[in-house]
Amino acid sequence: SVEDHLGRTVRDCVPALADSVEAIVRSIMETGEPVTGIEVAGQRPDQAVERSWITYWHPLRSPSGEIVAVNVAAEEITERKRSEQEMRRAREAAEQTLEHLRETQASLIEAEKLAALGRLVAGVAHEINNPVGSSLTVASSLQRRYETFAAEVGRGEIRRSHLNEFLDGVRNASVQLIANLNRASDLVQSFKQVAADRGDLQRRCFDLAELTEQVLVGLRPELRKRGLSLDLVCEPDLLMDSLPGPYGLVLSNLVLNSVVHAFPDGRGG
């Protein structure tokens, strides 16, 4: 409360910020100029969530021109800071997804003994490029909007309409990033599982429909280019205890042979 702070020194009220506050006040007393755009973080005693503010410090003068006090105005920017953190996490997730993709591609190149595995690499890379590319585009656009917004805040020119527009943009971008990155993550996991099955002929239990869809992911881009559609109809929850690697290879060869012999001369279907 205000009453708890009246008559007390800054160092008694906010020990952690005392040095910074005293430096700002000293600068105002020496130069007579305001200090603006200072960010402060903290939390109220009755709240667990950390909050953020941007502060503006101005000298108050007596009629004779002497500085008698310093006025501090604070604008809460907790939501903006939270949005910035979400944007950074989204960019890091996109970069991590790309790094996982590079690692997976490198391991596949070493293990590539079958032509079908090479087609799988190309097909899945094509599929992943769309969500990851979209994520990077959205994140880059959001970064530029943030820089523009931060510059306006620093100049003290921010308006409520600009703040609302920025928050709406961050919200929409976050939705797009989460959707794209989840799609990319699913593709990477599917890709890694199929690659592991091809490289290491281990017997395991798997869902037939799920594994079939994973194998077909690598074939769909080439089929689309040829004007062919591939529809999967498989009984759900059909569990098998078998060798997924050879099953995927046989399935790939069946599809590719069908493309060559059932749809010659670029015929679609």
Side-chain angles (χ1 to χ4, degrees):
S1 64
V2 174
E3 289 76 17
D4 290 340
H5 293 80
L6 288 176
R8 300 174 64 195
T9 66
V10 171
R11 190 166 296 278
D12 288 337
C13 296
V14 282
L17 301 176
D19 290 340
S20 299
V21 171
E22 290 177 359
I24 293 172
V25 173
R26 189 180 305 112
S27 171
I28 293 175
M29 296 298 296
E30 293 174 353
T31 66
E33 297 295 327
V35 177
T36 61
I38 303 299
E39 291 190 6
V40 180
Q43 62 190 62
R44 291 179 175 174
D46 59 340
Q47 295 180 352
V49 178
E50 185 176 81
R51 302 165 67 188
S52 301
W53 296 267
I54 187 165
T55 59
Y56 307 87
W57 307 66
H58 291 269
L60 295 181
R61 301 179 182 274
S62 66
S64 64
E66 179 187 5
I67 298 177
V68 295
V70 174
N71 180 67
V72 184
E75 175 188 5
E76 184 164 0
I77 55 171
T78 303
E79 287 300 322
R80 195 192 87 189
K81 299 296 290 185
R82 185 176 295 118
S83 297
E84 292 172 6
Q85 292 172 357
E86 291 175 355
M87 179 183 69
R88 283 193 294 269
R89 284 195 292 266
R91 288 182 64 89
E92 290 169 0
E95 292 168 357
Q96 187 177 29
T97 299
L98 282 176
E99 184 61 28
H100 287 166
L101 176 59
R102 294 190 188 100
E103 293 173 359
T104 305
Q105 288 175 326
S107 65
L108 279 172
I109 290 173
E110 294 177 358
E112 190 176 7
K113 300 176 181 179
L114 301 170
L117 197 55
R119 288 190 292 269
L120 179 65
V121 174
V124 175
H126 176 83
E127 291 291 318
I128 292 177
N129 183 63
N130 291 330
V132 171
S134 298
S135 296
L136 291 177
T137 299
V138 172
S140 298
S141 175
L142 199 55
Q143 178 71 24
R144 288 193 297 271
R145 295 186 67 173
Y146 159 70
E147 291 171 353
T148 301
F149 183 82
E152 292 178 350
V153 171
R155 294 192 299 268
E157 298 174 356
I158 188 62
R159 299 176 182 175
R160 181 174 294 276
S161 60
H162 290 178
L163 177 60
N164 291 336
E165 180 182 358
F166 177 79
L167 292 177
D168 289 341
V170 169
R171 186 183 305 110
N172 294 334
S174 298
V175 172
Q176 295 181 55
L177 285 170
I178 291 172
N180 283 326
L181 293 174
N182 282 336
R183 173 60 178 160
S185 177
D186 291 342
L187 287 169
V188 169
Q189 293 304 317
S190 171
F191 181 37
K192 293 175 70 175
Q193 183 61 66
V194 175
D197 290 337
R198 296 282 179 86
D200 188 8
L201 300 182
Q202 292 292 327
R203 178 171 177 167
R204 66 179 178 88
C205 186
F206 56 87
D207 182 288
L208 187 61
E210 181 179 316
L211 178 63
T212 302
E213 181 57 44
Q214 290 175 348
V215 173
L216 297 182
V217 164
L219 300 174
R220 292 190 189 278
E222 181 65 25
L223 296 177
R224 282 197 295 267
K225 286 193 297 185
R226 294 173 176 266
L228 297 170
S229 63
L230 193 156
D231 298 322
L232 171 61
V233 179
C234 186
E235 180 181 342
D237 301 321
L238 185 59
L239 299 180
M240 294 186 64
D241 184 356
S242 184
L243 299 173
Y247 166 76
L249 180 60
V250 170
L251 182 63
S252 297
N253 286 334
L254 281 173
V255 172
L256 295 172
N257 286 339
S258 298
V259 170
V260 173
H261 298 291
F263 303 98
D265 304 323
R267 200 181 307 163

